[in-house]
Amino acid sequence: MAADSQLSAGPRRRLPPEERRAQLLQTAMAVFARRGFGRAGHAEIAEAAGVAVSTVFLYFKTREALVDAVLAEVGRFYLDLALRVHQQEKPCREILVDHRLAFHESLDSHPYHARLALDWSTALREELWPRYIEFTDQLVANHVRTILRGQAEGDVASSVDPETSARMLIASAQMTAQQRLAGADPAMADRMALLFIDAALGRVLPAGAPAPREKAAQG
């Protein structure tokens, strides 16, 4: 069953505090994904979770605390995914392809995370935007390390600017996520992802331009 499958309150039972908080956080993510950060609150989350409003306030004292917890979970999920993929001992392009494939799989397994991340990326309110910039900068730094390693190993051209390429890849991931969540053909999104990766690594050439020489195989 997908991690973000539809929540069901079921029969009410007493949960240990840690489990109750986790349940309320997952419910909050579902509600915010449906309603947006600026609309949902404690009452709607309590109704969806099948608990009293006072129970939600017990774990999340304010609406700001609730939003902070949701943002922290979204950021943790995508940063963990990036770190897990980028720590592999593979060539740069293979890692970037693996990352994009893992990200696309997460759109199906964790759709609430994806919808929240997209909502967050357009939330220019003072309380949300700085945290999104911080989150993005961490993703950029992770990509930059991989691209720099690719350059050191000779798999990525030295003319490529690592930060520009990293930001291009993250922006393209947002675009393909929007398309996938809107029902676009997954195969098309995968093809576009490969084009963006090659473009970010300087592998897309103008028509008629000679192909770069591949690095000689190490014998």
Side-chain angles (χ1 to χ4, degrees), residues 72 76 86 184 214:
R76 180 207 61 78
H86 284 251
E214 294 292 333

Side-chain angles (χ1 to χ4, degrees), residues 101-123:
L101 291 176
F103 175 67
H104 285 179
E105 290 173 359
S106 78
L107 298 177
D108 296 322
S109 64
H110 292 74
Y112 296 158
H113 287 72
R115 292 182 183 279
L116 289 166
L118 289 173
D119 193 16
W120 192 10
S121 72
T122 60

Side-chain angles (χ1 to χ4, degrees), residues 4-201:
D4 279 341
S5 59
Q6 185 175 358
L7 297 172
S8 174
R12 293 184 60 179
R13 64 187 182 92
R14 185 177 296 277
L15 296 176
E18 187 173 323
E19 290 185 31
R20 177 63 74 191
R21 185 184 187 281
Q23 179 224 11
L24 293 175
L25 178 58
Q26 289 300 312
T27 303
M29 293 181 68
V31 172
F32 279 128
R34 183 175 69 251
R35 298 272 292 153
F37 285 110
R39 297 180 181 178
H42 286 65
E44 190 169 358
I45 291 161
E47 181 180 1
V51 301
V53 176
S54 59
T55 300
V56 183
F57 275 104
L58 178 64
Y59 290 92
F60 304 99
K61 304 296 184 185
T62 63
R63 191 176 185 284
E64 290 73 20
L66 189 58
V67 171
D68 283 348
V70 169
L71 295 182
E73 166 57 21
V74 173
R76 180 207 61 78
F77 177 80
Y78 286 113
L79 290 172
D80 283 355
L81 186 152
L83 290 172
R84 184 168 63 252
V85 174
H86 284 251
Q87 70 183 1
Q88 299 178 100
E89 294 295 330
K90 290 183 175 182
C92 173
R93 185 180 184 277
E94 288 186 32
I95 288 176
L96 295 176
V97 170
D98 284 353
H99 189 181
R100 187 53 59 88
L101 291 176
F103 175 67
H104 285 179
E105 290 173 359
S106 78
L107 298 177
D108 296 322
S109 64
H110 292 74
Y112 296 158
H113 287 72
R115 292 182 183 279
L116 289 166
L118 289 173
D119 193 16
W120 192 10
S121 72
T122 60
L124 300 180
R125 298 190 299 279
E126 183 178 351
E127 69 274 18
L128 298 182
W129 186 243
R131 288 192 61 175
Y132 183 74
I133 295 298
E134 180 183 356
F135 162 64
T136 303
D137 285 347
Q138 292 180 73
L139 284 177
V140 167
N142 188 72
H143 282 68
V144 165
R145 285 192 295 269
T146 296
I147 295 170
L148 285 172
R149 181 166 61 80
Q151 289 177 322
E153 294 173 352
D155 295 323
V156 179
S158 59
S159 59
V160 168
D161 177 65
E163 183 171 350
T164 299
S165 293
R167 293 190 181 278
M168 173 183 174
L169 289 169
I170 292 167
S172 70
Q174 293 174 335
M175 184 183 72
T176 54
Q178 289 173 323
Q179 293 177 331
R180 284 284 303 273
L181 292 173
D185 178 15
M188 182 188 70
D190 289 341
R191 289 193 299 270
M192 288 182 61
L194 293 178
L195 287 174
F196 280 120
I197 289 171
D198 284 334
L201 297 181

